[in-house]
Amino acid sequence: MKRQEAKVILDETNKMHQKHAKLARPDLGEFGRNEIAILGTTCNNIRTLANSLVKQLSSSSKIAYVDADHKDAGSSDNINDTTIANGGFLEYTNKISFQRLDFKNDLNSFQRRAIFNDQDLIIVNGNHFTAKAQIVVIDPVKNLEKKLEQLTDIRLILLKDETVSIPDFLKRHEGFNEIPVLSLNDENGIAEFIRELLSKRIPPINGLVLSGGLSSRMKKDKGDLNYHGVSQREYLYELLSKHCNKAFISCNAEQAVELGGRLPFIQDNFLHLGPMGGILSALQTDPNAAWLTIACDLPYLTERTIEYLVANRNSSKTATAFLDPSGDFPEPLITLWEPKSYFVLLQFLSQGYSCPRKVLINSDILLLKAPNEKEFLNANSPEQYEMAVSELRQGEK
């Protein structure tokens, strides 16, 4: 066998043995994107601090708390009445003022992340669980040296009272001099620290022009149409570039060849799903960014509307969108999808739904009234194209 032939066979064999695709992963911890463990003091102090933070921050952020119950299951008066006690694995209870979900099995980190996906901050009792960032309390009643392996990213040090001092082993911690120190009793200061921390963690915005469709009604690629002196694809790319960290063109395989190196693009990996395929492909490419997606068939869209959407963004929601011109439903043609929407979109897809509007209707989103509803008029046929060109030219006179 010739050496070149052997190399080809070896390369093909290596490809066959590559078990897993290399995917960009969301920046997640044990429970979610933004999690912080409080440790170094009693569980009662941790819960008191957590409740104080929730009260001060819950008006603008969704906050979850993770703890363990010291009581065993048998200590509950009503344990024998539960489905779990009688052999069930899951029990959902509508408690009127809140919902409750009990599991029998332990939850691994993958399952926890699904449950906590919608939360902006997850406060963790560090006496029982780990988290990727920590708030350390200096309290004589707890020996922090036993928790050294958990101190991977200390963000704040709290002093129980004026009599305690920071131990030397913490002073040797990497980056110690940059870690702020507050009193455990300074609830306002601690809340302000968390507020600032969350503001720094707001995901950047990428832009995506959805142009990977077949344009069957238009009978030519809608992204190549010229309304503003350049192709619609280029025009919208430039609009997004002014307000996004990065901008891309969503395209199919054939369009990717045509685009070449002219514009950054993301080729659809989720095929035959329409706009949802482009949105998911973008989130798959960068799951740690928010994605501002706009359809390429919006000839009247202006920078003003994009600017308004970005300025009124609520990163705590699954998405920020506009009401459609009828005022009845979210308009999916121009929407800002937060990173948490990736999981939500996949959930809908797994249940057989590929409509972005259905996702928006059934999710926690911010709905805005558009500055100019006419900008949502799309052009899907040659007649609509000619009408839009005529109106836009008249507007320039």
Side-chain angles (χ1 to χ4, degrees), residues 45-325:
N45 287 338
I46 292 172
R47 177 174 281 278
T48 299
L49 176 56
N51 287 340
S52 172
L53 291 173
V54 170
K55 286 179 181 178
Q56 295 189 67
L57 303 174
S58 59
S59 61
S60 59
S61 301
K62 299 173 186 171
I63 304 179
Y65 180 61
V66 175
D67 203 344
D69 193 339
H70 293 281
K71 301 175 182 177
D72 59 40
S75 64
S76 172
D77 293 336
N78 300 318
I79 185 63
N80 293 326
D81 296 332
T82 66
T83 298
I84 303 295
N86 289 283
F89 284 83
L90 186 85
E91 182 171 352
Y92 165 70
T93 308
N94 184 339
K95 302 290 286 187
I96 309 302
S97 60
F98 66 94
Q99 315 296 302
R100 176 170 168 172
L101 196 61
D102 293 326
F103 297 88
K104 183 173 184 177
N105 291 351
D106 289 336
L107 298 179
N108 59 40
S109 58
F110 298 99
Q111 294 164 320
R112 291 170 181 168
R113 292 167 190 160
I115 295 171
F116 289 92
N117 175 68
D118 197 40
Q119 304 303 306
D120 300 311
L121 174 66
I122 304 154
I123 302 173
V124 177
N125 184 334
N127 290 341
H128 301 291
F129 301 96
T130 60
K132 62 180 181 179
Q134 302 85 39
I135 293 176
V136 171
V137 182
I138 309 302
D139 185 345
V141 303
K142 288 287 185 179
N143 185 356
L144 264 177
E145 283 195 274
K146 294 181 178 180
K147 300 281 188 178
L148 282 179
E149 72 283 354
Q150 294 184 28
L151 306 182
T152 56
D153 184 11
I154 301 174
R155 296 301 184 91
L156 179 65
I157 294 174
L158 301 177
L159 303 180
K160 176 66 170 59
D161 53 52
E162 297 178 355
T163 65
V164 299
S165 58
I166 300 174
D168 290 338
F169 68 83
L170 269 189
K171 294 179 180 179
R172 293 192 292 268
H173 192 277
E174 184 178 354
F176 168 78
N177 291 330
E178 282 74 48
I179 302 173
V181 179
L182 296 173
S183 167
L184 179 61
N185 297 319
D186 185 6
E187 296 182 350
N188 292 335
I190 299 169
E192 184 56 36
F193 170 82
I194 295 294
R195 193 177 286 111
E196 184 177 346
L197 184 67
L198 290 177
S199 70
K200 292 177 180 178
R201 291 280 296 171
I202 293 176
I205 301 174
N206 288 345
L208 186 72
V209 180
L210 296 166
S211 65
L214 299 176
S215 304
S216 55
R217 285 176 287 174
M218 185 64 75
K219 300 178 181 176
K220 61 172 63 176
D221 191 335
K222 289 185 286 187
D224 287 335
L225 298 176
N226 187 331
Y227 298 99
H228 305 279
V230 295
S231 73
Q232 181 68 350
R233 192 176 280 119
E234 293 175 80
Y235 174 75
L236 294 176
Y237 170 81
E238 291 299 328
L239 286 186
L240 286 177
S241 296
K242 296 177 182 179
H243 299 280
C244 298
N245 184 47
K246 301 175 184 177
F248 300 87
I249 305 298
S250 169
C251 63
N252 57 42
E254 184 178 335
Q255 292 167 333
V257 175
E258 295 172 358
L259 281 171
R262 291 189 296 115
L263 291 172
F265 64 85
I266 296 175
Q267 185 175 324
D268 287 351
N269 294 322
F270 294 79
L271 304 179
H272 313 301
L273 296 177
M276 192 162 182
I279 298 167
L280 282 170
S281 298
L283 285 161
Q284 183 188 59
T285 301
D286 188 350
N288 295 307
W291 285 88
L292 200 171
T293 62
I294 56 177
C296 73
D297 57 2
L298 298 174
Y300 302 100
L301 185 65
T302 67
E303 182 180 353
R304 179 190 175 198
T305 294
I306 294 174
E307 189 176 42
Y308 185 83
L309 178 62
V310 172
N312 289 278
R313 168 198 188 186
N314 186 337
S315 60
S316 181
K317 302 292 186 179
T318 301
T320 302
F322 290 110
L323 273 169
D324 63 13

